[in-house]
Amino acid sequence: MFDNFPLWPDRASTAAGNVDALFVFLIIVSGLMTALIFAAIIYFAARYRRRRGVFAEQIEGSTPLEITWSIIPLFVFMVIFAWGAVVYFKSRTPPRDSTEVYVVAKQWMWKLEHAEGQREINELHVPVGRDVKLIMTSQDVIHSFYIPAFRMKQDVLPGRYTVAWFRATKPGTYHLFCAEYCGTQHSGMIGSIVVQEPAQYEAWMSGGTTGPLSATGEKIFAELGCVTCHRTDTQGRGPNLQGVFGKPVQLEDGRTLTADENYIRESILDPGAKVVKGFKPVMPTFQGLVSEEQLNALVAFVKSQSQPGPAGAQTAGAKTATAPQDKAPAEGSQVQ
Ligand code: CUA
């Protein structure tokens, strides 16, 4: 309804309508309250102005009145709370089977890498109508990934992953901003999101690539010698990584957690922090030895080891004895 209203940014994602509706509701409620308060001020100022021969009368409180003006605002605020919580929860929870894009922010650019291996700088190509999950980290200071047309904004922090997602609904080119002051060139840390029709997108995707990110990760996994301990049989000094991602992991100290992107990341940079039950803290740290891009590739590789299909998610459990795979999948077969 505001599509031609120049103050309103484009509305190009599934989240945009929900966010706008809540925003409009908040403006209307605030506007009504403001009007009500001003009307009361003006009315009372006129009605009870000082007049000759008229004296002020003391009145007692009124319980029904006080209850009314407590209950009604409470109800309104609970509506805002519940509505806001639903919108927030939706925007915080990437749907399963989202297409994944790794984002590395640095002073002062955005580096993006598709799971399929395509790399971009300050530009992100996405297909219309598909869920896209962003797994983001920063090489230096805090940045913030902001796409106004998608009503999506997420801080990007050094030392950990933050996640955001969107589903574009309209082909076009949209602004990407950094929304967190990050140094002198902060205002220049901008880019564009190019939303394409699926066919166009496929054509773009088939352009030059270095192969899937997980394959790059597999290569790094071999080069760094990770394979010698993280074996797919039971003899490894480190846990078997097949089927680990997204599953609960029992730790040596009795805790249980879910193996997500941040856990994999931490286990590479600070292996002693959360040692898997049944293993010794013998793994050296790779802090300083791998770049953010290489870390992303390693995370993508570990993830690919848990994808359903020939790469085998059925072998869940760190210490489950598994026979080496007899069917050689397209990738992921060298890790023995
Ligand atoms: Cu990056 Cu501001």
Side-chain angles (χ1 to χ4, degrees):
M1 70 178 154
F2 288 101
D3 285 345
N4 295 314
F5 191 53
L7 290 180
W8 217 268
D10 250 328
R11 202 177 283 121
S13 78
T14 48
N18 300 335
V19 172
D20 288 357
L22 178 60
F23 184 60
V24 167
F25 177 75
L26 287 174
I27 287 181
I28 290 174
V29 169
S30 321
L32 278 179
M33 276 317 289
T34 309
L36 218 67
I37 290 167
F38 272 85
I41 290 174
I42 292 165
Y43 173 74
F44 289 137
R47 176 91 170 72
Y48 298 108
R49 69 187 184 277
R50 204 166 95 128
R51 271 177 290 191
R52 222 177 260 281
V54 179
F55 294 97
E57 235 177 89
Q58 284 305 318
I59 54 162
E60 293 302 315
S62 158
T63 310
L65 195 60
E66 282 173 26
I67 289 178
T68 310
W69 77 45
S70 301
I71 297 288
I72 292 175
L74 177 71
F75 177 75
V76 173
F77 283 125
M78 289 316 283
V79 168
I80 294 173
F81 167 70
W83 189 348
V86 169
V87 170
Y88 180 77
F89 190 77
K90 258 196 216 154
S91 76
R92 297 302 313 154
T93 320
R96 276 166 193 282
D97 309 323
S98 303
T99 303
E100 298 189 337
V101 175
Y102 287 81
V103 180
V104 178
K106 61 171 271 192
Q107 286 165 325
W108 288 277
M109 62 163 82
W110 298 104
K111 294 185 282 185
L112 304 112
E113 187 161 10
H114 296 253
E116 293 83 351
Q118 249 75 14
R119 286 162 189 263
E120 305 188 64
I121 286 180
N122 293 340
E123 203 172 44
L124 174 62
H125 286 72
V126 291
V128 76
R130 204 184 302 165
D131 300 325
V132 177
K133 176 180 172 187
L134 303 167
I135 302 158
M136 309 191 282
T137 188
S138 165
Q139 227 170 282
D140 36 52
V141 299
I142 300 177
H143 304 271
S144 184
F145 194 91
Y146 180 32
I147 311 170
F150 295 173
R151 308 294 188 274
M152 192 221 91
K153 177 155 72 174
Q154 172 61 51
D155 273 12
V156 180
L157 312 175
R160 55 168 293 185
Y161 289 117
T162 52
V163 163
W165 77 278
F166 60 81
R167 181 200 283 219
T169 51
K170 213 165 73 178
T173 302
Y174 305 101
H175 286 296
L176 162 65
F177 293 117
C178 177
E180 182 76 49
Y181 181 69
C182 55
T184 50
Q185 299 292 312
H186 157 71
S187 63
M189 194 168 163
I190 52 177
S192 43
I193 309 294
V194 183
V195 178
Q196 296 176 307
E197 295 290 358
Q200 250 183 314
Y201 177 73
E202 293 312 326
W204 180 84
M205 267 313 221
S206 59
T209 171
T210 49
L213 192 56
S214 56
T216 311
E218 184 176 5
K219 231 165 59 204
I220 300 167
F221 196 80
E223 280 165 14
L224 293 175
C226 314
V227 271
T228 53
C229 293
H230 293 286
R231 300 162 58 115
T232 49
D233 50 34
T234 48
Q235 284 139 49
R237 280 189 295 164
N240 172 4
L241 298 181
Q242 286 199 313
V244 166
F245 191 84
K247 298 275 159 41
V249 178
Q250 270 212 307
L251 301 185
E252 198 52 22
D253 60 14
R255 283 181 297 166
T256 303
L257 53 77
T258 303
D260 59 5
E261 287 95 355
N262 271 314
Y263 174 64
I264 307 296
R265 179 193 177 89
E266 182 185 54
S267 298
I268 296 168
L269 299 179
D270 186 9
K274 288 169 187 144
V275 178
V276 175
K277 193 172 165 64
F279 290 92
K280 300 237 148 31
V282 291
M283 176 171 158
T285 172
F286 286 84
Q287 183 93 53
L289 297 176
V290 284
S291 68
E292 288 296 344
E293 279 84 357
Q294 289 174 316
L295 262 176
N296 290 344
L298 284 168
V299 170
F301 168 65
V302 172
K303 246 186 212 179
S304 73
Q305 295 299 289
S306 303
Q307 235 102 72
Q314 293 88 334
T315 54
K319 298 210 70 181
T320 318
T322 51
Q325 293 177 324
D326 33 45
K327 257 195 282 171
E331 75 226 23
S333 55
Q334 276 92 300
V335 189
Q336 303 271 335

